[in-house]
Amino acid sequence: MDTLFNTKFEGDPASHSQPGVQLKSSTYDLQESNVNLKLTIVSTVGFGDQINKEDSYKPIVEFIDAQFEAYLQEELKIRRVLHNYHDTRIHACLYFIAPTGHSLKSLDLVTMKKLDSKVNIIPIIAKSDAISKSELTKFKIKITSELVSNGVQIYQFPTDDESVAEINGTMNAHLPFAVIGSTEELKIGNKMMKARQYPWGTVQVENEAHCDFVKLREMLIRVNMEDLREQTHTRHYELYRRCKLEEMGFKDTDPDSKPFSLQETYEAKRNEFLGELQKKEEAMRQMFVQRVKEKEAELKEAEKELHEKFDRLKKLHQDEKKKLEDKKKSLDDEVNAFKQRKTAAELLQSQAQQAGGSQTLKRDKERKN
């Protein structure tokens, strides 16, 4: 992009360890002579870096649709200011293809197929100095064949305008463009030119014998910029707008081929919405009632279990209390019996002592006599 617009755009290189695809948008105000250009560049950071690439195209499609939706919302306003509106719709998608020399990756085919109805796709072979001239020619033919066989519609430069029909027809045959980028200038002959220096030689960015960079710049900026914007508005945006309005219930004519009334459509859509809302409210109410009943049943079951547990504990307590009372009674009986035996023993012992004392006195008398 720096090479294409001969400037230095701000931004740090993104890492290849992103968990998903993120779209980074930056807007710049460019000026060359008396021509002003508001340029928005959107980078697909992390595209193709994940192990699972199945949904890599979704953030891109969602971003493009979001720009269409923003424009549609502005267009549907009562007081529109489209002449001052900053149009963020994507007018061109430069789809870079790795210079493998073999064939397109399945990710490339799937993504371009998802995008071809939403944006003008211009396929580009990046770092084209990585493969030889003969391999590059075969690679271009292979890519074109695969795009056609998979039904991918890339942007074709228009040939209906006689002033550009010849050059655009010639350029269409050169698609996909094989490009090289460089902001470094090297002295070649008596001129300073953008080029890349290698041990085996120098690759000139603006030399058409070395790459298609000049062709891309001519087609993209100088010849077909307005057509890219027009195609975006009349083809891709109109398709999105039509699908969106049909989804909302709007049509050009009713089943009887009479002009379609916007008021009737609005009322019908409003009634339909209110009906759906009422159904949802009723469903939510029924669900709430059902959940309350289920909760009440759960609480009753829990209460029943608590009562049963309380009754079990109460019965267990009563049984334990009865056992303790029986044991206490038994111990009391044993204590009473022990006391009776002790009293009897003490009485016998007292009687024995008295009897012994009497005999001793009798003997003492007999001795005296």
Side-chain angles (χ1 to χ4, degrees):
M1 299 306 295
D2 290 351
T3 314
L4 193 62
F5 290 94
N6 194 28
T7 188
K8 177 64 178 175
F9 294 113
E10 298 176 357
D12 299 323
S15 67
H16 291 277
S17 57
Q18 300 288 337
V21 181
Q22 298 177 351
L23 277 80
K24 184 179 178 183
S25 178
S26 302
T27 302
Y28 307 92
D29 291 312
L30 305 181
Q31 184 175 7
E32 184 176 349
S33 300
N34 295 324
V35 179
N36 295 320
L37 175 66
K38 184 182 283 290
L39 175 69
T40 299
I41 301 174
V42 182
S43 304
T44 53
V45 180
F47 180 74
D49 291 336
Q50 295 75 38
I51 295 175
N52 183 4
K53 304 176 178 64
E54 185 177 357
D55 297 331
S56 294
Y57 67 88
K58 286 186 178 179
I60 305 172
V61 172
E62 289 170 0
F63 182 87
I64 295 172
D65 284 346
Q67 311 317 306
F68 283 153
E69 181 64 25
Y71 192 88
L72 178 61
Q73 291 300 324
E74 182 65 28
E75 196 177 51
L76 292 176
K77 286 181 180 178
I78 296 175
R79 295 183 178 179
R80 302 185 298 182
V81 286
L82 292 177
H83 60 284
N84 289 329
Y85 178 72
H86 178 208
D87 189 0
T88 59
R89 294 176 296 178
I90 308 299
H91 298 100
C93 171
L94 301 181
Y95 197 99
F96 289 88
I97 300 167
T100 60
H102 303 296
S103 60
L104 287 170
K105 299 174 185 176
S106 57
L107 173 65
D108 295 331
L109 288 171
V110 170
T111 304
M112 281 195 272
K113 184 62 181 173
K114 294 290 183 181
L115 294 177
D116 66 357
S117 62
K118 297 179 178 295
V119 67
N120 301 312
I121 300 175
I122 301 175
I124 294 172
I125 301 172
K127 301 177 182 178
S128 61
D129 53 344
I131 54 178
S132 66
K133 209 76 172 174
S134 58
E135 288 175 330
L136 188 59
T137 303
K138 292 177 182 178
F139 191 34
K140 282 188 174 187
I141 296 171
K142 180 71 174 174
I143 290 172
T144 304
S145 174
E146 287 185 345
L147 292 174
V148 171
S149 62
N150 286 277
V152 178
Q153 297 181 355
I154 62 173
Y155 174 71
Q156 294 289 321
F157 303 119
T159 55
D160 49 355
D161 187 350
E162 293 182 0
S163 61
V164 294
E166 185 178 351
I167 186 171
N168 279 347
T170 305
M171 291 299 108
N172 281 330
H174 282 86
L175 289 172
F177 292 136
V179 300
I180 303 163
S182 176
T183 54
E184 296 181 10
E185 291 192 349
L186 301 175
K187 189 172 184 179
I188 300 173
N190 295 325
K191 293 182 179 180
M192 297 296 292
M193 305 181 70
K194 287 185 173 64
R196 300 183 76 89
Q197 183 70 53
Y198 294 102
W200 45 263
T202 304
V203 179
Q204 300 173 30
V205 173
E206 296 179 324
N207 188 335
E208 293 192 49
H210 292 183
C211 71
D212 298 329
F213 176 80
V214 174
K215 295 183 180 69
L216 173 65
R217 185 175 61 191
E218 289 288 323
M219 292 296 99
L220 187 64
I221 301 175
R222 297 180 182 172
V223 180
N224 297 300
M225 182 179 286
E226 284 304 316
D227 185 72
L228 286 165
R229 296 177 66 180
E230 185 180 344
Q231 283 290 319
T232 299
H233 186 77
T234 59
R235 181 186 167 199
H236 303 300
Y237 171 69
E238 280 300 318
L239 177 62
Y240 176 85
R241 178 178 174 275
R242 185 178 76 238
C243 293
K244 195 71 176 178
L245 292 178
E246 286 178 354
E247 185 182 311
M248 293 168 65
F250 295 102
K251 297 178 182 177
D252 291 331
T253 57
D254 63 14
D256 299 326
S257 298
K258 296 178 181 178
F260 204 73
S261 171
L262 184 63
Q263 181 67 24
E264 290 177 1
T265 303
Y266 170 77
E267 290 294 336
K269 203 68 182 176
R270 182 174 180 274
N271 292 333
E272 182 184 346
F273 174 76
L274 291 175
E276 290 179 359
L277 186 63
Q278 190 173 0
K279 287 180 182 178
K280 287 181 180 178
E281 287 178 353
E282 181 63 24
M284 289 178 68
R285 192 183 70 80
Q286 292 291 343
M287 186 183 295
F288 177 75
V289 171
Q290 182 65 26
R291 287 187 177 178
V292 168
K293 288 182 179 179
E294 290 174 357
K295 200 66 179 177
E296 285 180 349
E298 289 177 6
L299 290 172
K300 285 182 180 178
E301 187 66 27
E303 185 180 6
K304 183 181 177 183
E305 290 178 0
L306 284 173
H307 280 301
E308 290 176 353
K309 187 176 181 181
F310 175 76
D311 291 340
R312 286 197 305 270
L313 291 172
K314 186 177 179 182
K315 188 175 182 302
L316 184 64
H317 173 71
Q318 290 174 347
D319 292 345
E320 289 291 332
K321 185 179 180 182
K322 189 174 182 303
K323 285 180 183 178
L324 288 172
E325 288 176 350
D326 292 344
K327 197 169 185 179
K328 182 176 180 293
K329 184 179 179 184
S330 176
L331 287 172
D332 289 342
D333 292 343
E334 288 179 5
V335 168
N336 291 332
F338 174 76
K339 286 180 178 179
Q340 288 176 0
R341 286 195 301 271
K342 182 181 178 184
T343 303
E346 289 176 347
L347 181 62
L348 289 172
Q349 187 178 4
S350 175
Q351 289 175 353
Q353 286 177 353
Q354 289 177 0
S358 299
Q359 288 178 1
T360 303
L361 289 172
K362 190 177 181 181
R363 285 192 200 104
D364 288 341
K365 286 180 179 181
E366 287 178 352
R367 286 175 184 172
K368 289 180 180 180
N369 293 328

